[in-house]
Amino acid sequence: MNQTVKFYQTGTLTVGNRLLDPEHRTVQASEERSNAITCGHRACQGCGEALGARYAIDAALKAADGNLICVNATGCLEVFTTPYPETSWQLAWMHSLFGNAAAVAAGVAAAQRVKGRNRVRVVAQGGDGGTTDIGFGCLSGMFERNDDVLYICYDNEAYMNTGVQRSSATPGGARTATTPAVGEAPGNVFGTGKNVPLIAMAHNIPYVATASVADLHDLEAKVTRAMGIHGARYIHIMVPCPLGWGSASHDTIRVARLAVESGLFPLFEAEHGVVTSSRPIRRKVPVTEYLKPQKRFAHLFRPDNPHGADALARLQAQADENCRRFNLLRAEEGK
Amino acid sequence: MLKQIEGSHAMAEAIALCRPEVICAYPITPQTHIVEGLSAMVRDGHLTGCEFINVESEFAALSVAIGSSAAGARTYTATASQGLLFMMEAVYNASGLGLPIVMTLGNRAIGAPINIWNDHSDAMSVRDAGWIMLFAETNQEAVDLHIQAFKLAEELSCPVMVNVDGFILTHAVERVDIPDPEQVDAFLPPFDPVQVLDPASPMSMGAMVGPDAFMEVRYLAHHKQMQALDRIPEIAAEFKAAFGRESGGLIRCYRCDDADTIVVAMGSVVGTLKDMVDTRRAAGDRIGVVSIGAFRPFPLEEVRNALMGARRVVVLEKALAVGMGGILASHVRMALRGHPNRVYTLIAGLGGRPILQPSLNAFMDRVAAEPHYDVHFLDLREDVVEAEIARMAAERRSGPIAENVLRRVAALGQMMLPDAAVTGDRP
């Protein structure tokens, strides 16, 4: 495919790759599809969250035949889509607080039930801070009550909206504004953090999945699958943040893909606490390929850092453990 | 229908008559019996068309309420004390979003030291959160205020907090007239939200508002509360026309005509004060009581008019602004600014300490000789605080108060309550 791809947006229609030959166009190019987020938002260039949210909510809208209400936690996504006095959202959308999106969504769902609006579905969304940290209590409550809400976490592994501070989703070794790359153990402390997809599974909710902006068809399929189920559902999407990760804006998809292909971010689905599918890695790459394009890990590669090699080995061990746990290398082994 | 009933259960019955569609519940003493009562009514089919949700915290309780109210459902929750503080962020959010949630606050002290008994510290901590705040004097009024609260909230798109004294009202069994469903239906129309989350008519709710409009949003929130100053007495009048009894309103005066001294208070203690007034009037003291029914919006004009003729105003309040003094008293002084009345601050009943007639009478007997600029404390154990103050003065780093006081009380085998409360003596 040698055709030059031009991406541009005019008016309220996302034109994108409509300039491609029809067989090369993605679903996003269709004039028929709904657009949850239209142009005019203020996300940074190369924002993984904007991309992930657009595909996730578009897929959810399609699955719900447009009957969707979306609740948004405070964070980048909320801020850049609703710059006063405008909004980029083309669906019923509500923002309340940083830590309560799951609970507000549970309330919205309760209102639909009591009003007999059975066709209206509810999605809640937030970043990793709003999900794994400050919103965790409300999220767990929504899970255990099995409220009819799909919660989507856009994970960029730190508090990006406030200037890249550590969250419980920040990986070991990563430099953030509150885990600076200085001192005896530079970057985020190893052995900390939480794996919310696994914690979600421990609630025995009907559906849990991880997804990545590196594979939008897989992401859409998982959202569609989740929308076909009632009860509490959780999708955790990795969305690189060029600003916070120190990666190039044009590398968002590449970095997200390397996270998957290294095994650091396994793609899987689980139903009622049991893993039902995982996406095999066809060509496993060393974690260093994923880490090197990101300035937040640059200190691990400095020759004067005596702990760099140890940190890299620990991250590689995590990736290897993910491959074993989710059986990600079966395609490679089958060669 | 007249019933001999616990206050909490009476309130639960009244709330059920208002046909709430979503109730979110989290247990905290002393409001728990209200939501327990509602849960039973939903389960046994007395209250239909209602989702009862057991949540994991008060923060979630009000957050669920925010979601269901924004989606157009009539929504109720209840809390107290620490629970109110735990949901604080959502308290401001609910009013900022203009959601007509009704919440009961079973008034209780705030720790540390942890204390489950009644005072108004919790309500006073959210006095500027944008909610309409009503105070009930009796369980009958608590029942009636809830019915009025939904009407007021939904007309003004503003949440309403109904304050009921913990234990004194919530746990008291007494005679209450529970209205008939038809009466309540006629008084309170179904919730017809102005703005609702609806896929058929999408809108963004709760978007960011910058410096260019935030001032105007806040100004208009204040304006709306000023509107409530008109609507609260109108709704109370409508209520009287429909149900035949006085309940609610901004303030209520008891034997205030020709009074030299007027006591101002909120909540159930007004009943105690009325008894005191009757006793003292019989002895020739020209004294009356003003009960503040609406603390937010604060009825400055009505309070001023009610108190202008009195030489002396004693504000009895169950809260203390630590480092400042009286809260309600500050409001009353604001109402009386420019007038020569003397306003006394009398802090009483903190953490559930009984407010007793002998103590009140003793204070009223000497009030003319007391300095009006001091903060007075009713039934404060002077020996305990003086010993602790002396100890603090003797040590450069004095350490926390509560443990030292407990140590002293334990060592001396002292009872902290005034003798009359311990022995149950009544005048």
Side-chain angles (χ1 to χ4, degrees):
Chain A
M1 188 180 81
N2 296 319
Q3 188 172 354
T4 306
V5 182
K6 290 181 184 169
F7 290 96
Y8 61 91
Q9 293 180 319
T10 58
T12 56
L13 288 173
T14 307
V15 177
N17 52 11
R18 264 176 225 148
L19 299 178
L20 291 174
D21 295 332
E23 68 268 25
H24 290 129
R25 288 179 195 170
T26 68
V27 62
Q28 200 71 6
S30 164
E31 288 178 41
E32 302 301 310
R33 64 174 283 134
S34 56
N35 281 298
I37 313 176
T38 55
C39 64
H41 67 69
R42 265 70 153 176
C44 305
Q45 193 178 42
C47 174
E49 188 176 34
L51 183 68
R54 182 172 133 200
Y55 273 76
I57 300 302
D58 282 357
L61 263 175
K62 189 177 177 201
D65 199 18
N67 291 305
L68 192 71
I69 296 174
C70 182
V71 176
N72 211 127
T74 308
C76 277
L77 181 60
E78 168 261 325
V79 171
F80 73 63
T81 55
T82 56
Y84 175 83
E86 296 154 8
T87 179
S88 303
W89 295 99
Q90 298 293 300
L91 76 165
W93 179 95
M94 179 181 189
H95 160 251
S96 171
L97 295 169
F98 197 3
N100 71 355
V104 173
V108 173
Q112 306 315 310
R113 214 156 47 235
V114 78
K115 296 280 189 186
R117 302 182 197 130
N118 300 323
R119 294 176 60 230
V120 178
R121 308 299 303 279
V122 183
V123 170
Q125 55 182 354
D128 51 292
T131 305
T132 73
D133 286 345
I134 197 169
F136 190 64
C138 286
L139 183 70
S140 178
M142 187 274 278
F143 285 164
E144 70 84 13
R145 290 188 302 268
N146 200 26
D147 292 321
D148 192 11
V149 173
L150 166 60
Y151 191 101
I152 302 173
C153 171
Y154 305 106
D155 180 7
N156 53 24
E157 303 190 329
Y159 290 87
M160 301 315 186
N161 193 40
T162 46
V164 199
Q165 294 83 19
R166 178 207 182 266
S167 79
S168 64
T170 302
R175 179 202 70 193
T176 69
T178 49
T179 55
V182 295
E184 273 294 293
N188 190 32
V189 180
F190 278 91
T192 61
K194 59 178 102 157
N195 187 325
V196 173
L198 294 183
I199 298 170
M201 285 167 59
H203 289 75
N204 277 323
I205 57 175
Y207 186 75
V208 173
T210 59
S212 168
V213 287
D215 192 339
L216 292 169
H217 285 303
D218 179 66
L219 186 159
E220 288 179 323
K222 283 167 173 168
V223 172
T224 306
R225 168 108 183 81
M227 292 298 291
I229 300 168
H230 284 271
R233 292 142 288 146
Y234 181 72
I235 299 181
H236 191 104
I237 304 175
M238 175 177 258
V239 292
C241 169
L243 188 76
W245 292 14
S247 53
S249 296
H250 60 257
D251 270 348
T252 294
I253 304 298
R254 184 168 81 94
V255 169
R257 183 174 298 118
L258 289 169
V260 172
E261 290 183 348
S262 64
L264 275 175
F265 192 79
L267 298 182
F268 65 92
E269 292 175 290
E271 292 177 32
H272 298 287
V274 179
V275 175
T276 52
S277 80
S278 64
R279 202 159 171 79
I281 297 173
R282 300 201 182 281
R283 184 188 66 89
K284 191 186 178 202
V285 300
V287 293
T288 50
E289 274 196 44
Y290 163 68
L291 302 172
K292 266 187 179 161
Q294 305 178 48
K295 289 202 184 80
R296 63 175 174 157
F297 294 112
H299 59 282
L300 303 184
F301 297 96
R302 272 203 325 255
D304 62 338
N305 177 0
H307 308 286
D310 180 51
L312 291 172
R314 295 189 72 158
L315 288 163
Q316 185 61 56
Q318 277 177 23
D320 296 345
E321 171 56 18
N322 284 339
C323 291
R324 187 201 62 74
R325 185 177 202 164
F326 296 100
N327 192 21
L328 301 179
L329 298 180
R330 56 191 191 274
E332 200 171 56
E333 285 157 3
K335 274 178 192 165
Chain B
M1 187 171 70
L2 285 177
K3 285 187 177 181
Q4 186 74 3
I5 188 169
E6 190 192 79
S8 291
H9 288 142
M11 284 179 250
E13 290 196 17
I15 292 149
L17 289 171
C18 296
R19 303 188 188 279
E21 292 168 300
V22 174
I23 295 170
C24 358
Y26 188 80
I28 181 167
T29 304
Q31 62 77 33
T32 312
H33 290 183
I34 304 174
V35 291
E36 283 176 3
L38 286 163
S39 129
M41 279 185 266
V42 171
R43 280 294 175 96
D44 69 15
H46 275 88
L47 176 52
T48 54
C50 180
E51 290 278 330
F52 186 94
I53 306 173
N54 285 297
V55 293
E56 75 282 357
S57 73
E58 288 90 354
F59 179 62
L62 193 53
S63 297
V64 168
I66 285 169
S68 59
S69 185
R74 181 173 285 169
T75 303
Y76 171 82
T77 189
T79 192
S81 182
Q82 316 293 139
L84 182 70
L85 296 198
F86 200 64
M87 65 165 68
M88 182 66 115
E89 194 187 9
V91 172
Y92 273 78
N93 196 247
S95 60
L97 289 167
L99 299 173
I101 297 161
V102 171
M103 177 162 75
T104 312
L105 191 64
N107 298 115
R108 167 183 151 180
I110 289 171
I114 187 168
N115 176 300
I116 63 163
W117 292 277
N118 166 248
D119 69 30
H120 289 168
S121 306
D122 51 4
M124 292 301 104
S125 73
V126 294
R127 63 185 184 271
D128 301 324
W131 286 55
I132 290 170
M133 297 173 69
L134 309 176
F135 280 80
E137 183 186 329
T138 63
N139 274 328
Q140 184 65 63
E141 188 165 50
V143 160
D144 300 344
L145 282 183
H146 281 94
I147 298 165
Q148 298 183 28
F150 280 104
K151 194 180 179 86
L152 188 61
E154 289 166 13
E155 276 188 22
L156 293 175
S157 291
C158 181
V160 176
M161 188 179 296
V162 180
N163 288 272
V164 295
D165 281 316
F167 296 109
I168 299 168
L169 293 182
T170 56
H171 287 55
V173 176
E174 59 185 351
R175 194 182 78 157
V176 177
D177 187 2
I178 306 288
D180 295 328
E182 300 75 31
Q183 280 181 297
V184 178
D185 287 344
F187 180 78
L188 179 64
F191 179 30
D192 180 18
V194 178
Q195 165 184 295
V196 68
L197 285 173
D198 179 5
S201 170
M203 62 163 310
S204 295
M205 216 185 262
M208 181 174 268
V209 172
D212 9 16
F214 194 83
M215 285 267 284
E216 287 69 24
V217 171
R218 278 289 172 270
Y219 177 91
L220 292 168
H222 181 67
H223 175 77
K224 192 168 268 194
Q225 290 243 344
M226 295 303 102
Q227 280 184 306
L229 285 175
D230 294 330
R231 278 309 282 152
I232 289 168
E234 286 165 11
I235 286 175
E238 291 164 29
F239 186 89
K240 188 183 179 189
F243 297 85
R245 60 176 169 266
E246 299 256 7
S247 268
L250 296 171
I251 67 167
R252 268 206 301 280
C253 302
Y254 181 75
R255 303 187 80 169
C256 287
D257 299 339
D258 82 337
D260 284 333
T261 306
I262 295 179
V263 186
V264 180
M266 299 194 291
S268 62
V269 74
V270 170
T272 310
L273 293 171
K274 284 177 177 170
D275 284 351
M276 179 197 74
V277 162
D278 290 344
T279 309
R280 296 185 74 83
R281 280 264 176 190
D285 188 2
R286 293 200 297 181
I287 187 168
V289 185
V290 168
S291 167
I292 306 292
F295 183 73
R296 282 290 181 274
F298 193 78
L300 286 169
E301 193 181 333
E302 288 74 11
V303 170
R304 180 164 60 244
N305 291 341
L307 301 179
M308 259 200 333
R311 269 194 290 175
R312 190 177 302 115
V313 175
V314 177
V315 181
L316 183 144
E317 58 182 303
K318 292 181 173 184
L320 171 65
V322 176
M324 197 281 181
I327 301 168
L328 180 58
S330 301
H331 287 63
V332 170
R333 288 194 176 91
M334 172 75 174
L336 287 172
R337 64 196 181 281
H339 292 283
N341 330 44
R342 293 195 152 189
V343 180
Y344 295 76
T345 307
L346 180 58
I347 310 290
L350 297 188
R353 178 158 300 184
I355 298 174
L356 302 171
Q357 299 284 0
S359 312
L360 287 170
N361 272 309
F363 182 82
M364 291 304 162
D365 286 344
R366 65 173 193 270
V367 68
E370 292 283 343
H372 64 93
Y373 38 79
D374 276 355
V375 181
H376 301 273
F377 291 81
L378 193 72
D379 284 336
L380 185 73
R381 286 297 296 257
E382 304 284 352
D383 54 342
V384 173
V385 296
E386 277 164 17
E388 176 64 5
I389 287 167
R391 190 196 63 78
M392 288 194 287
E395 294 169 33
R396 189 174 63 83
R397 300 187 309 132
S398 52
I401 299 164
E403 284 70 23
N404 284 321
V405 168
L406 288 179
R407 224 170 276 133
R408 178 173 305 278
V409 170
L412 301 178
Q414 284 175 323
M415 294 298 293
M416 292 295 287
L417 293 177
D419 293 343
V422 176
T423 58
D425 287 352
R426 296 275 162 171

